[in-house]
Amino acid sequence: MPASPRRVSPRVLAAAGAAALAAVSAPVAAPSALAQEAPERVLLSPTADPSRSQTVTWRGPEGGSVLEIAPADDPGRVVRVEGERTGDAGGAYHRATATGLEPGTGYRYRVGDGGGSVTDWLAFSTPAEGAEPFDFLYFGDIQNDITEGAAPVVRAALEAEPDAELAVHAGDLINSANSDSEWGEWYGAFGPGATGGMNHVAAPGNHEYAGLRLSGHWALQFPGAGNGPEGNDLPETVSYTDYQGVRFITLNSNYRAAAPLSPRAWLEAQEGWLRKALETNPGRWSVVAFHHPVFSNSPSRDNGPVREAWLDTFEEFDVDLVLQGHDHSYARGNLTANRTGDPAVQTGPVYAVSVTGPKMYDADDSNWTGNGAEVRAQRADTQTYQAVSVDGGTLDYVARTADGEVVDAFTITKDESGKRVTDAS
């Protein structure tokens, strides 16, 4: 049976049809004059069922919170969605959720105060209701020197993978939790077409904490899907969303900051919730993202409580990808128990650590080998992005530098023979 055709990325459609969209008059009154303060920092976040609903967050004037949305092929059919003002962090943040959307459908939208202050029209597509081929990106720590050091890698990823529909962030998106200028650089690295045109799934890192407090920007920008567990910071940072046959799960590994007096109980609460999320996964694939690695690349680091709380569950449910950051180097590996007779093939979960920004640490495999695991690829002093393609029973993963060098690549195959993870030759 031929593979299902891939949808064209809404970012590509938006770029190709910007002039045409601008020429379409929607039945919403245009502003009579340029707004003095236009909304900014628009971000598209998936709900638990992003094929039928999507959440948009933005920062703008103190006034109303309004999302105007229409099908891309019928731009005159605008629906007005009333949102809410959610808080302040360098300005007023707003959020609105569009419901009743059609799966696999392109939409155009804009947000504002319901009057004269609105964004330009942006574009996105809802995922299909079931499993269909798609691509997504995975970024490790962006964190430092964002505009000059990290943004070139981000832009290389967006250029190399124009059809990517979703981005996974494994924490430390910025360096200082409440630095409004750094958050502005993060948005600038992606640009409004990518922050507002593709879904972003983000887990917090330790740099999203100031002391024992989660960044005041976090929940205003990354509301999550609203299906996480109870506990310190967990409703705001832990959730899952289903996207075309893949369940994406974010966890919060910041046990030192979020729950310093009861880290074990806090991690175990997430494990119980994780178990249920994996048990009820309706799709073929599972991807889990969090910040502190189960197996550290940095010789002086060890996240034993995270490993003790979650590793057995990852292995029991054979999670496909465990995506992490924190160690400012690249590595990918597996438990040695999951070796096969072919040295290029493993079974079981894949554990990856990556860094997108320019801050670098030394790397070795001692924490991996000391805890029953092995490294299949490891690289220090290397900024990467990761591109992942899912198509039926095949998942292809490649880690690249900004100039296109392949640092690591492998394929996961699921068929009647079982599951195999095969290193690229």
Side-chain angles (χ1 to χ4, degrees):
M1 179 181 295
S4 302
R6 291 181 181 271
R7 292 178 295 137
V8 178
S9 164
R11 291 184 287 120
V12 174
L13 289 174
L21 286 177
V24 177
S25 64
V28 176
S32 58
L34 290 175
Q36 292 184 346
E37 184 183 358
E40 60 177 356
R41 301 190 184 185
V42 180
L43 190 76
L44 188 68
S45 294
T47 62
D49 181 8
S51 67
R52 298 189 181 278
S53 59
Q54 291 276 334
T55 295
V56 184
T57 58
W58 70 96
R59 191 168 76 175
E62 295 279 352
S65 307
V66 176
L67 162 67
E68 296 163 358
I69 185 169
D73 62 0
D74 189 4
R77 186 158 58 91
V78 176
V79 173
R80 184 182 174 101
V81 179
E82 295 292 334
E84 61 177 329
R85 185 179 182 281
T86 54
D88 288 276
Y93 273 85
H94 305 263
R95 179 173 65 218
T97 299
T99 61
L101 303 179
E102 291 295 324
T105 301
Y107 287 89
R108 66 192 293 254
Y109 74 95
R110 64 183 183 180
V111 296
D113 63 1
S117 180
V118 295
T119 62
D120 293 334
W121 290 99
L122 297 166
F124 74 93
S125 290
T126 54
E129 191 168 21
E132 295 288 346
F134 77 104
D135 302 334
F136 70 91
L137 296 167
Y138 150 45
F139 298 98
D141 303 32
I142 290 175
Q143 190 178 344
N144 299 87
D145 189 18
I146 297 173
T147 299
E148 298 297 328
V153 184
V154 171
R155 290 168 188 156
L158 297 174
E159 182 177 351
E161 303 294 332
D163 293 333
E165 299 179 23
L166 182 143
V168 177
H169 305 275
D172 282 6
L173 284 66
I174 45 76
N175 189 53
S176 299
N178 294 306
S179 171
D180 192 65
S181 62
E182 289 179 9
W183 282 113
E185 288 188 69
W186 185 87
Y187 280 92
F190 284 87
T195 61
M198 63 191 299
N199 276 150
H200 292 263
V201 173
N206 54 294
H207 283 267
E208 272 74 62
Y209 279 82
L212 304 181
R213 296 181 66 85
L214 181 65
S215 168
H217 289 71
W218 187 266
L220 303 179
Q221 300 174 142
F222 302 103
N227 50 18
E230 292 300 315
N232 294 355
D233 295 341
L234 298 184
E236 300 93 341
T237 57
V238 177
S239 65
Y240 67 78
T241 184
D242 294 326
Y243 202 105
Q244 293 188 183
V246 180
R247 175 157 285 187
F248 290 94
I249 299 171
T250 59
L251 298 175
N252 189 337
S253 59
N254 291 280
Y255 62 91
R256 298 175 181 90
L261 300 180
S262 55
R264 184 179 299 276
W266 187 77
L267 291 169
E268 288 177 352
Q270 292 184 72
E271 188 279 331
W273 173 89
L274 171 66
R275 178 173 292 271
K276 291 178 182 177
L278 293 170
E279 285 175 344
T280 59
N281 181 6
R284 177 179 286 186
W285 302 94
S286 57
V287 175
V288 179
F290 53 91
H291 187 59
H292 299 80
V294 174
F295 307 110
S296 181
N297 273 359
S298 296
S300 61
R301 288 180 165 178
D302 179 36
N303 303 300
V306 172
R307 186 170 55 252
E308 292 164 11
W310 299 345
L311 177 60
D312 287 348
T313 303
F314 297 150
E315 293 292 322
E316 177 183 344
F317 287 92
D318 200 4
V319 169
D320 298 299
L321 297 178
V322 180
L323 307 180
Q324 306 145 107
H326 190 57
D327 284 345
H328 295 266
S329 54
Y330 181 82
R332 186 261 302 185
N334 53 272
L335 289 187
T336 56
N338 292 331
R339 292 171 175 167
T340 70
D342 184 339
V345 178
Q346 66 164 92
T347 60
V350 173
Y351 300 90
V353 180
S354 77
V355 58
T356 299
K359 181 180 178 182
M360 295 293 158
Y361 296 156
D362 291 337
D364 70 26
D365 66 352
S366 58
N367 191 256
W368 293 75
T369 59
N371 291 287
E374 63 181 350
V375 167
R376 289 179 174 261
Q378 190 171 55
R379 182 88 71 89
D381 298 317
T382 306
Q383 296 171 252
T384 64
Y385 69 88
Q386 288 63 231
V388 184
S389 177
V390 183
D391 188 348
T394 302
L395 182 152
D396 290 311
Y397 169 114
V398 59
R400 295 193 193 99
T401 64
D403 62 7
E405 178 192 357
V406 174
V407 174
D408 183 29
F410 61 86
T411 297
I412 305 178
T413 305
K414 295 183 179 182
D415 56 24
E416 62 278 0
S417 301
K419 175 181 171 180
R420 302 178 304 282
V421 182
T422 306
D423 298 342
S425 57

